[in-house]
PDB file of all heavy atoms in Angstrom:
ATOM      1  N   ASN A1441      -9.574   8.599 -12.128  1.00 89.00           N
ATOM      2  CA  ASN A1441     -11.057   8.652 -12.085  1.00 89.00           C
ATOM      3  C   ASN A1441     -11.564   8.983 -10.686  1.00 89.00           C
ATOM      4  O   ASN A1441     -12.763   8.829 -10.423  1.00 89.00           O
ATOM      5  CB  ASN A1441     -11.603   7.288 -12.539  1.00 89.00           C
ATOM      6  CG  ASN A1441     -11.364   6.993 -13.994  1.00 89.00           C
ATOM      7  OD1 ASN A1441     -12.007   7.505 -14.867  1.00 89.00           O
ATOM      8  ND2 ASN A1441     -10.345   6.190 -14.284  1.00 89.00           N
ATOM      9  N   ALA A1442     -10.722   9.500  -9.809  1.00 88.00           N
ATOM     10  CA  ALA A1442     -11.110   9.931  -8.454  1.00 88.00           C
ATOM     11  C   ALA A1442     -11.912   8.827  -7.730  1.00 88.00           C
ATOM     12  O   ALA A1442     -12.912   9.147  -7.075  1.00 88.00           O
ATOM     13  CB  ALA A1442     -11.903  11.230  -8.554  1.00 88.00           C
ATOM     14  N   ASN A1443     -11.457   7.588  -7.856  1.00 87.00           N
ATOM     15  CA  ASN A1443     -12.094   6.444  -7.227  1.00 87.00           C
ATOM     16  C   ASN A1443     -11.382   6.157  -5.903  1.00 87.00           C
ATOM     17  O   ASN A1443     -10.436   5.390  -5.857  1.00 87.00           O
ATOM     18  CB  ASN A1443     -12.026   5.245  -8.160  1.00 87.00           C
ATOM     19  CG  ASN A1443     -12.871   4.070  -7.693  1.00 87.00           C
ATOM     20  OD1 ASN A1443     -13.141   3.962  -6.487  1.00 87.00           O
ATOM     21  ND2 ASN A1443     -13.266   3.207  -8.597  1.00 87.00           N
ATOM     22  N   ASP A1444     -11.861   6.773  -4.831  1.00 83.00           N
ATOM     23  CA  ASP A1444     -11.201   6.675  -3.513  1.00 83.00           C
ATOM     24  C   ASP A1444     -11.150   5.242  -2.954  1.00 83.00           C
ATOM     25  O   ASP A1444     -10.171   4.824  -2.367  1.00 83.00           O
ATOM     26  CB  ASP A1444     -11.873   7.591  -2.513  1.00 83.00           C
ATOM     27  CG  ASP A1444     -11.543   9.045  -2.728  1.00 83.00           C
ATOM     28  OD1 ASP A1444     -10.611   9.314  -3.505  1.00 83.00           O
ATOM     29  OD2 ASP A1444     -12.213   9.904  -2.149  1.00 83.00           O
ATOM     30  N   PHE A1445     -12.255   4.507  -3.167  1.00 81.00           N
ATOM     31  CA  PHE A1445     -12.326   3.163  -2.626  1.00 81.00           C
ATOM     32  C   PHE A1445     -11.256   2.260  -3.238  1.00 81.00           C
ATOM     33  O   PHE A1445     -10.496   1.572  -2.519  1.00 81.00           O
ATOM     34  CB  PHE A1445     -13.704   2.533  -2.885  1.00 81.00           C
ATOM     35  CG  PHE A1445     -13.811   1.124  -2.388  1.00 81.00           C
ATOM     36  CD1 PHE A1445     -14.029   0.871  -1.031  1.00 81.00           C
ATOM     37  CD2 PHE A1445     -13.737   0.048  -3.246  1.00 81.00           C
ATOM     38  CE1 PHE A1445     -14.102  -0.432  -0.547  1.00 81.00           C
ATOM     39  CE2 PHE A1445     -13.846  -1.254  -2.791  1.00 81.00           C
ATOM     40  CZ  PHE A1445     -14.042  -1.503  -1.442  1.00 81.00           C
ATOM     41  N   GLU A1446     -11.131   2.259  -4.569  1.00 87.00           N
ATOM     42  CA  GLU A1446     -10.151   1.430  -5.233  1.00 87.00           C
ATOM     43  C   GLU A1446      -8.737   1.987  -5.062  1.00 87.00           C
ATOM     44  O   GLU A1446      -7.773   1.196  -5.067  1.00 87.00           O
ATOM     45  CB  GLU A1446     -10.487   1.285  -6.740  1.00 87.00           C
ATOM     46  CG  GLU A1446     -11.768   0.510  -7.020  1.00 87.00           C
ATOM     47  CD  GLU A1446     -11.773  -0.897  -6.422  1.00 87.00           C
ATOM     48  OE1 GLU A1446     -10.720  -1.472  -6.202  1.00 87.00           O
ATOM     49  OE2 GLU A1446     -12.903  -1.424  -6.212  1.00 87.00           O
ATOM     50  N   LYS A1447      -8.621   3.265  -4.880  1.00 87.00           N
ATOM     51  CA  LYS A1447      -7.298   3.841  -4.562  1.00 87.00           C
ATOM     52  C   LYS A1447      -6.802   3.290  -3.236  1.00 87.00           C
ATOM     53  O   LYS A1447      -5.630   2.903  -3.091  1.00 87.00           O
ATOM     54  CB  LYS A1447      -7.417   5.390  -4.484  1.00 87.00           C
ATOM     55  CG  LYS A1447      -6.087   6.070  -4.184  1.00 87.00           C
ATOM     56  CD  LYS A1447      -6.232   7.549  -4.107  1.00 87.00           C
ATOM     57  CE  LYS A1447      -4.930   8.257  -3.695  1.00 87.00           C
ATOM     58  NZ  LYS A1447      -5.059   9.717  -3.572  1.00 87.00           N
ATOM     59  N   SER A1448      -7.710   3.217  -2.265  1.00 84.00           N
ATOM     60  CA  SER A1448      -7.364   2.665  -0.939  1.00 84.00           C
ATOM     61  C   SER A1448      -6.932   1.214  -1.070  1.00 84.00           C
ATOM     62  O   SER A1448      -5.946   0.764  -0.494  1.00 84.00           O
ATOM     63  CB  SER A1448      -8.564   2.773   0.007  1.00 84.00           C
ATOM     64  OG  SER A1448      -8.294   2.103   1.239  1.00 84.00           O
ATOM     65  N   ARG A1449      -7.667   0.431  -1.861  1.00 85.00           N
ATOM     66  CA  ARG A1449      -7.324  -0.995  -2.067  1.00 85.00           C
ATOM     67  C   ARG A1449      -5.970  -1.132  -2.730  1.00 85.00           C
ATOM     68  O   ARG A1449      -5.133  -1.956  -2.328  1.00 85.00           O
ATOM     69  CB  ARG A1449      -8.352  -1.667  -2.962  1.00 85.00           C
ATOM     70  CG  ARG A1449      -9.678  -2.019  -2.309  1.00 85.00           C
ATOM     71  CD  ARG A1449     -10.537  -2.807  -3.249  1.00 85.00           C
ATOM     72  NE  ARG A1449     -10.025  -4.144  -3.495  1.00 85.00           N
ATOM     73  CZ  ARG A1449     -10.293  -4.892  -4.551  1.00 85.00           C
ATOM     74  NH1 ARG A1449     -11.111  -4.431  -5.481  1.00 85.00           N
ATOM     75  NH2 ARG A1449      -9.788  -6.092  -4.669  1.00 85.00           N
ATOM     76  N   ALA A1450      -5.690  -0.282  -3.703  1.00 89.00           N
ATOM     77  CA  ALA A1450      -4.422  -0.375  -4.428  1.00 89.00           C
ATOM     78  C   ALA A1450      -3.260   0.008  -3.520  1.00 89.00           C
ATOM     79  O   ALA A1450      -2.198  -0.644  -3.565  1.00 89.00           O
ATOM     80  CB  ALA A1450      -4.448   0.575  -5.655  1.00 89.00           C
ATOM     81  N   ILE A1451      -3.469   0.967  -2.674  1.00 87.00           N
ATOM     82  CA  ILE A1451      -2.418   1.386  -1.710  1.00 87.00           C
ATOM     83  C   ILE A1451      -2.112   0.190  -0.777  1.00 87.00           C
ATOM     84  O   ILE A1451      -0.946  -0.106  -0.528  1.00 87.00           O
ATOM     85  CB  ILE A1451      -2.845   2.627  -0.907  1.00 87.00           C
ATOM     86  CG1 ILE A1451      -2.893   3.850  -1.810  1.00 87.00           C
ATOM     87  CG2 ILE A1451      -1.901   2.864   0.270  1.00 87.00           C
ATOM     88  CD1 ILE A1451      -3.533   5.065  -1.156  1.00 87.00           C
ATOM     89  N   GLY A1452      -3.157  -0.457  -0.267  1.00 84.00           N
ATOM     90  CA  GLY A1452      -2.980  -1.631   0.596  1.00 84.00           C
ATOM     91  C   GLY A1452      -2.284  -2.768  -0.108  1.00 84.00           C
ATOM     92  O   GLY A1452      -1.434  -3.417   0.447  1.00 84.00           O
ATOM     93  N   ASN A1453      -2.701  -3.017  -1.353  1.00 86.00           N
ATOM     94  CA  ASN A1453      -2.072  -4.083  -2.149  1.00 86.00           C
ATOM     95  C   ASN A1453      -0.588  -3.810  -2.382  1.00 86.00           C
ATOM     96  O   ASN A1453       0.259  -4.733  -2.321  1.00 86.00           O
ATOM     97  CB  ASN A1453      -2.768  -4.264  -3.503  1.00 86.00           C
ATOM     98  CG  ASN A1453      -4.145  -4.859  -3.331  1.00 86.00           C
ATOM     99  OD1 ASN A1453      -4.473  -5.415  -2.306  1.00 86.00           O
ATOM    100  ND2 ASN A1453      -4.993  -4.725  -4.368  1.00 86.00           N
ATOM    101  N   MET A1454      -0.239  -2.538  -2.639  1.00 87.00           N
ATOM    102  CA  MET A1454       1.143  -2.181  -2.886  1.00 87.00           C
ATOM    103  C   MET A1454       1.963  -2.417  -1.640  1.00 87.00           C
ATOM    104  O   MET A1454       3.123  -2.862  -1.675  1.00 87.00           O
ATOM    105  CB  MET A1454       1.251  -0.723  -3.332  1.00 87.00           C
ATOM    106  CG  MET A1454       2.622  -0.333  -3.797  1.00 87.00           C
ATOM    107  SD  MET A1454       3.112  -1.207  -5.307  1.00 87.00           S
ATOM    108  CE  MET A1454       2.213  -0.311  -6.541  1.00 87.00           C
ATOM    109  N   ALA A1455       1.381  -2.082  -0.479  1.00 86.00           N
ATOM    110  CA  ALA A1455       2.080  -2.317   0.807  1.00 86.00           C
ATOM    111  C   ALA A1455       2.410  -3.790   1.002  1.00 86.00           C
ATOM    112  O   ALA A1455       3.464  -4.174   1.465  1.00 86.00           O
ATOM    113  CB  ALA A1455       1.213  -1.784   1.961  1.00 86.00           C
ATOM    114  N   ILE A1456       1.439  -4.663   0.635  1.00 82.00           N
ATOM    115  CA  ILE A1456       1.631  -6.082   0.793  1.00 82.00           C
ATOM    116  C   ILE A1456       2.764  -6.591  -0.138  1.00 82.00           C
ATOM    117  O   ILE A1456       3.608  -7.387   0.258  1.00 82.00           O
ATOM    118  CB  ILE A1456       0.305  -6.833   0.482  1.00 82.00           C
ATOM    119  CG1 ILE A1456      -0.731  -6.550   1.604  1.00 82.00           C
ATOM    120  CG2 ILE A1456       0.552  -8.362   0.359  1.00 82.00           C
ATOM    121  CD1 ILE A1456      -2.110  -7.016   1.267  1.00 82.00           C
ATOM    122  N   VAL A1457       2.778  -6.069  -1.374  1.00 84.00           N
ATOM    123  CA  VAL A1457       3.812  -6.476  -2.342  1.00 84.00           C
ATOM    124  C   VAL A1457       5.200  -6.086  -1.778  1.00 84.00           C
ATOM    125  O   VAL A1457       6.112  -6.887  -1.813  1.00 84.00           O
ATOM    126  CB  VAL A1457       3.574  -5.801  -3.689  1.00 84.00           C
ATOM    127  CG1 VAL A1457       4.804  -5.978  -4.598  1.00 84.00           C
ATOM    128  CG2 VAL A1457       2.336  -6.380  -4.384  1.00 84.00           C
ATOM    129  N   TYR A1458       5.323  -4.875  -1.284  1.00 85.00           N
ATOM    130  CA  TYR A1458       6.631  -4.427  -0.725  1.00 85.00           C
ATOM    131  C   TYR A1458       7.021  -5.297   0.501  1.00 85.00           C
ATOM    132  O   TYR A1458       8.200  -5.625   0.686  1.00 85.00           O
ATOM    133  CB  TYR A1458       6.586  -2.957  -0.312  1.00 85.00           C
ATOM    134  CG  TYR A1458       6.821  -2.024  -1.512  1.00 85.00           C
ATOM    135  CD1 TYR A1458       5.872  -1.079  -1.833  1.00 85.00           C
ATOM    136  CD2 TYR A1458       7.998  -2.100  -2.259  1.00 85.00           C
ATOM    137  CE1 TYR A1458       6.069  -0.243  -2.911  1.00 85.00           C
ATOM    138  CE2 TYR A1458       8.205  -1.272  -3.330  1.00 85.00           C
ATOM    139  CZ  TYR A1458       7.241  -0.327  -3.674  1.00 85.00           C
ATOM    140  OH  TYR A1458       7.445   0.503  -4.732  1.00 85.00           O
ATOM    141  N   ALA A1459       6.027  -5.668   1.300  1.00 82.00           N
ATOM    142  CA  ALA A1459       6.323  -6.505   2.472  1.00 82.00           C
ATOM    143  C   ALA A1459       6.882  -7.860   2.052  1.00 82.00           C
ATOM    144  O   ALA A1459       7.845  -8.358   2.609  1.00 82.00           O
ATOM    145  CB  ALA A1459       5.073  -6.668   3.326  1.00 82.00           C
ATOM    146  N   GLU A1460       6.241  -8.448   1.071  1.00 77.00           N
ATOM    147  CA  GLU A1460       6.666  -9.775   0.587  1.00 77.00           C
ATOM    148  C   GLU A1460       8.028  -9.731  -0.070  1.00 77.00           C
ATOM    149  O   GLU A1460       8.747 -10.719  -0.127  1.00 77.00           O
ATOM    150  CB  GLU A1460       5.581 -10.331  -0.354  1.00 77.00           C
ATOM    151  CG  GLU A1460       4.297 -10.727   0.301  1.00 77.00           C
ATOM    152  CD  GLU A1460       4.457 -11.858   1.311  1.00 77.00           C
ATOM    153  OE1 GLU A1460       5.436 -12.619   1.226  1.00 77.00           O
ATOM    154  OE2 GLU A1460       3.620 -11.950   2.208  1.00 77.00           O
ATOM    155  N   LYS A1461       8.386  -8.570  -0.625  1.00 77.00           N
ATOM    156  CA  LYS A1461       9.679  -8.402  -1.251  1.00 77.00           C
ATOM    157  C   LYS A1461      10.752  -8.070  -0.194  1.00 77.00           C
ATOM    158  O   LYS A1461      11.944  -7.888  -0.539  1.00 77.00           O
ATOM    159  CB  LYS A1461       9.657  -7.315  -2.326  1.00 77.00           C
ATOM    160  CG  LYS A1461       8.824  -7.734  -3.580  1.00 77.00           C
ATOM    161  CD  LYS A1461       8.692  -6.609  -4.556  1.00 77.00           C
ATOM    162  CE  LYS A1461       9.932  -6.368  -5.291  1.00 77.00           C
ATOM    163  NZ  LYS A1461       9.789  -5.325  -6.334  1.00 77.00           N
ATOM    164  N   GLY A1462      10.353  -7.942   1.051  1.00 80.00           N
ATOM    165  CA  GLY A1462      11.305  -7.632   2.130  1.00 80.00           C
ATOM    166  C   GLY A1462      11.618  -6.195   2.330  1.00 80.00           C
ATOM    167  O   GLY A1462      12.495  -5.824   3.101  1.00 80.00           O
ATOM    168  N   GLU A1463      10.914  -5.305   1.628  1.00 85.00           N
ATOM    169  CA  GLU A1463      11.113  -3.863   1.757  1.00 85.00           C
ATOM    170  C   GLU A1463      10.165  -3.325   2.794  1.00 85.00           C
ATOM    171  O   GLU A1463       9.152  -2.641   2.513  1.00 85.00           O
ATOM    172  CB  GLU A1463      10.951  -3.151   0.381  1.00 85.00           C
ATOM    173  CG  GLU A1463      11.960  -3.699  -0.656  1.00 85.00           C
ATOM    174  CD  GLU A1463      11.758  -3.024  -2.008  1.00 85.00           C
ATOM    175  OE1 GLU A1463      11.444  -1.815  -2.064  1.00 85.00           O
ATOM    176  OE2 GLU A1463      11.924  -3.709  -3.031  1.00 85.00           O
ATOM    177  N   PHE A1464      10.486  -3.577   4.086  1.00 86.00           N
ATOM    178  CA  PHE A1464       9.548  -3.356   5.162  1.00 86.00           C
ATOM    179  C   PHE A1464       9.273  -1.879   5.446  1.00 86.00           C
ATOM    180  O   PHE A1464       8.157  -1.492   5.802  1.00 86.00           O
ATOM    181  CB  PHE A1464      10.074  -4.025   6.457  1.00 86.00           C
ATOM    182  CG  PHE A1464      10.235  -5.525   6.327  1.00 86.00           C
ATOM    183  CD1 PHE A1464      11.393  -6.168   6.652  1.00 86.00           C
ATOM    184  CD2 PHE A1464       9.147  -6.314   5.870  1.00 86.00           C
ATOM    185  CE1 PHE A1464      11.537  -7.530   6.520  1.00 86.00           C
ATOM    186  CE2 PHE A1464       9.275  -7.673   5.742  1.00 86.00           C
ATOM    187  CZ  PHE A1464      10.481  -8.280   6.063  1.00 86.00           C
ATOM    188  N   LYS A1465      10.271  -1.038   5.274  1.00 87.00           N
ATOM    189  CA  LYS A1465      10.099   0.390   5.554  1.00 87.00           C
ATOM    190  C   LYS A1465       9.078   0.971   4.553  1.00 87.00           C
ATOM    191  O   LYS A1465       8.164   1.701   4.920  1.00 87.00           O
ATOM    192  CB  LYS A1465      11.417   1.095   5.462  1.00 87.00           C
ATOM    193  CG  LYS A1465      11.337   2.574   5.939  1.00 87.00           C
ATOM    194  CD  LYS A1465      12.726   3.218   5.994  1.00 87.00           C
ATOM    195  CE  LYS A1465      12.594   4.661   6.459  1.00 87.00           C
ATOM    196  NZ  LYS A1465      13.911   5.327   6.488  1.00 87.00           N
ATOM    197  N   LYS A1466       9.280   0.615   3.280  1.00 88.00           N
ATOM    198  CA  LYS A1466       8.345   1.123   2.251  1.00 88.00           C
ATOM    199  C   LYS A1466       6.946   0.554   2.491  1.00 88.00           C
ATOM    200  O   LYS A1466       5.953   1.256   2.329  1.00 88.00           O
ATOM    201  CB  LYS A1466       8.803   0.682   0.867  1.00 88.00           C
ATOM    202  CG  LYS A1466       9.822   1.567   0.213  1.00 88.00           C
ATOM    203  CD  LYS A1466      10.068   1.154  -1.229  1.00 88.00           C
ATOM    204  CE  LYS A1466      11.086   2.087  -1.902  1.00 88.00           C
ATOM    205  NZ  LYS A1466      11.308   1.662  -3.346  1.00 88.00           N
ATOM    206  N   SER A1467       6.886  -0.745   2.879  1.00 87.00           N
ATOM    207  CA  SER A1467       5.612  -1.367   3.141  1.00 87.00           C
ATOM    208  C   SER A1467       4.856  -0.655   4.262  1.00 87.00           C
ATOM    209  O   SER A1467       3.665  -0.382   4.142  1.00 87.00           O
ATOM    210  CB  SER A1467       5.831  -2.849   3.516  1.00 87.00           C
ATOM    211  OG  SER A1467       4.606  -3.460   3.853  1.00 87.00           O
ATOM    212  N   GLU A1468       5.558  -0.326   5.341  1.00 88.00           N
ATOM    213  CA  GLU A1468       4.914   0.343   6.455  1.00 88.00           C
ATOM    214  C   GLU A1468       4.363   1.725   6.063  1.00 88.00           C
ATOM    215  O   GLU A1468       3.267   2.121   6.464  1.00 88.00           O
ATOM    216  CB  GLU A1468       5.870   0.497   7.639  1.00 88.00           C
ATOM    217  CG  GLU A1468       5.162   1.031   8.912  1.00 88.00           C
ATOM    218  CD  GLU A1468       6.072   0.966  10.132  1.00 88.00           C
ATOM    219  OE1 GLU A1468       7.312   0.954   9.991  1.00 88.00           O
ATOM    220  OE2 GLU A1468       5.518   0.896  11.225  1.00 88.00           O
ATOM    221  N   GLU A1469       5.140   2.441   5.235  1.00 89.00           N
ATOM    222  CA  GLU A1469       4.702   3.763   4.767  1.00 89.00           C
ATOM    223  C   GLU A1469       3.386   3.644   4.007  1.00 89.00           C
ATOM    224  O   GLU A1469       2.472   4.442   4.197  1.00 89.00           O
ATOM    225  CB  GLU A1469       5.788   4.381   3.856  1.00 89.00           C
ATOM    226  CG  GLU A1469       7.020   4.845   4.593  1.00 89.00           C
ATOM    227  CD  GLU A1469       8.143   5.241   3.632  1.00 89.00           C
ATOM    228  OE1 GLU A1469       7.902   5.252   2.426  1.00 89.00           O
ATOM    229  OE2 GLU A1469       9.237   5.580   4.127  1.00 89.00           O
ATOM    230  N   TRP A1470       3.291   2.596   3.135  1.00 87.00           N
ATOM    231  CA  TRP A1470       2.060   2.421   2.354  1.00 87.00           C
ATOM    232  C   TRP A1470       0.909   1.993   3.220  1.00 87.00           C
ATOM    233  O   TRP A1470      -0.232   2.464   3.029  1.00 87.00           O
ATOM    234  CB  TRP A1470       2.291   1.422   1.243  1.00 87.00           C
ATOM    235  CG  TRP A1470       3.041   1.974   0.076  1.00 87.00           C
ATOM    236  CD1 TRP A1470       4.389   2.073  -0.071  1.00 87.00           C
ATOM    237  CD2 TRP A1470       2.491   2.516  -1.142  1.00 87.00           C
ATOM    238  NE1 TRP A1470       4.700   2.626  -1.267  1.00 87.00           N
ATOM    239  CE2 TRP A1470       3.543   2.932  -1.938  1.00 87.00           C
ATOM    240  CE3 TRP A1470       1.162   2.705  -1.591  1.00 87.00           C
ATOM    241  CZ2 TRP A1470       3.355   3.509  -3.208  1.00 87.00           C
ATOM    242  CZ3 TRP A1470       0.985   3.270  -2.846  1.00 87.00           C
ATOM    243  CH2 TRP A1470       2.049   3.685  -3.640  1.00 87.00           C
ATOM    244  N   PHE A1471       1.148   1.095   4.195  1.00 86.00           N
ATOM    245  CA  PHE A1471       0.075   0.664   5.114  1.00 86.00           C
ATOM    246  C   PHE A1471      -0.452   1.842   5.938  1.00 86.00           C
ATOM    247  O   PHE A1471      -1.674   1.993   6.119  1.00 86.00           O
ATOM    248  CB  PHE A1471       0.575  -0.447   6.042  1.00 86.00           C
ATOM    249  CG  PHE A1471       0.506  -1.808   5.455  1.00 86.00           C
ATOM    250  CD1 PHE A1471       1.574  -2.681   5.574  1.00 86.00           C
ATOM    251  CD2 PHE A1471      -0.618  -2.238   4.784  1.00 86.00           C
ATOM    252  CE1 PHE A1471       1.545  -3.951   5.057  1.00 86.00           C
ATOM    253  CE2 PHE A1471      -0.691  -3.514   4.235  1.00 86.00           C
ATOM    254  CZ  PHE A1471       0.414  -4.382   4.377  1.00 86.00           C
ATOM    255  N   LEU A1472       0.431   2.664   6.467  1.00 88.00           N
ATOM    256  CA  LEU A1472       0.004   3.812   7.301  1.00 88.00           C
ATOM    257  C   LEU A1472      -0.751   4.822   6.450  1.00 88.00           C
ATOM    258  O   LEU A1472      -1.698   5.454   6.925  1.00 88.00           O
ATOM    259  CB  LEU A1472       1.232   4.445   7.982  1.00 88.00           C
ATOM    260  CG  LEU A1472       1.885   3.588   9.076  1.00 88.00           C
ATOM    261  CD1 LEU A1472       3.183   4.223   9.554  1.00 88.00           C
ATOM    262  CD2 LEU A1472       0.924   3.430  10.257  1.00 88.00           C
ATOM    263  N   LYS A1473      -0.303   4.992   5.206  1.00 85.00           N
ATOM    264  CA  LYS A1473      -0.988   5.875   4.272  1.00 85.00           C
ATOM    265  C   LYS A1473      -2.432   5.361   4.013  1.00 85.00           C
ATOM    266  O   LYS A1473      -3.379   6.135   4.020  1.00 85.00           O
ATOM    267  CB  LYS A1473      -0.221   5.905   2.951  1.00 85.00           C
ATOM    268  CG  LYS A1473      -0.779   6.838   1.880  1.00 85.00           C
ATOM    269  CD  LYS A1473       0.160   6.786   0.653  1.00 85.00           C
ATOM    270  CE  LYS A1473      -0.425   7.646  -0.458  1.00 85.00           C
ATOM    271  NZ  LYS A1473       0.424   7.581  -1.682  1.00 85.00           N
ATOM    272  N   ASP A1474      -2.558   4.072   3.849  1.00 84.00           N
ATOM    273  CA  ASP A1474      -3.847   3.455   3.625  1.00 84.00           C
ATOM    274  C   ASP A1474      -4.738   3.561   4.884  1.00 84.00           C
ATOM    275  O   ASP A1474      -5.954   3.841   4.811  1.00 84.00           O
ATOM    276  CB  ASP A1474      -3.681   1.976   3.217  1.00 84.00           C
ATOM    277  CG  ASP A1474      -4.943   1.362   2.667  1.00 84.00           C
ATOM    278  OD1 ASP A1474      -5.804   2.126   2.191  1.00 84.00           O
ATOM    279  OD2 ASP A1474      -5.076   0.114   2.704  1.00 84.00           O
ATOM    280  N   LEU A1475      -4.151   3.342   6.079  1.00 85.00           N
ATOM    281  CA  LEU A1475      -4.876   3.435   7.331  1.00 85.00           C
ATOM    282  C   LEU A1475      -5.430   4.844   7.539  1.00 85.00           C
ATOM    283  O   LEU A1475      -6.601   5.014   7.892  1.00 85.00           O
ATOM    284  CB  LEU A1475      -3.966   3.035   8.493  1.00 85.00           C
ATOM    285  CG  LEU A1475      -4.595   3.051   9.887  1.00 85.00           C
ATOM    286  CD1 LEU A1475      -5.734   2.068   9.982  1.00 85.00           C
ATOM    287  CD2 LEU A1475      -3.541   2.733  10.947  1.00 85.00           C
TER     288      LEU A1475
END
């Protein structure tokens, strides 16, 4: 639906999930993408 705001939120949330699972490299990629 080309919803940029919620896309940004979802990208940030995914980064947090990967961080909590200990997959730090993937998490950083998602955080930098969101930034």
Side-chain angles (χ1 to χ4, degrees):
N1441 293 282
N1443 188 336
D1444 285 348
F1445 178 78
E1446 294 302 337
K1447 181 181 176 182
S1448 173
R1449 283 186 70 202
I1451 291 169
N1453 289 343
M1454 190 64 79
I1456 291 169
V1457 169
Y1458 278 122
E1460 291 296 338
K1461 291 174 74 176
E1463 299 180 37
F1464 299 127
K1465 189 174 180 182
K1466 275 189 178 179
S1467 176
E1468 187 170 26
E1469 288 172 5
W1470 282 86
F1471 276 135
L1472 290 171
K1473 182 179 178 182
D1474 193 23
L1475 181 61

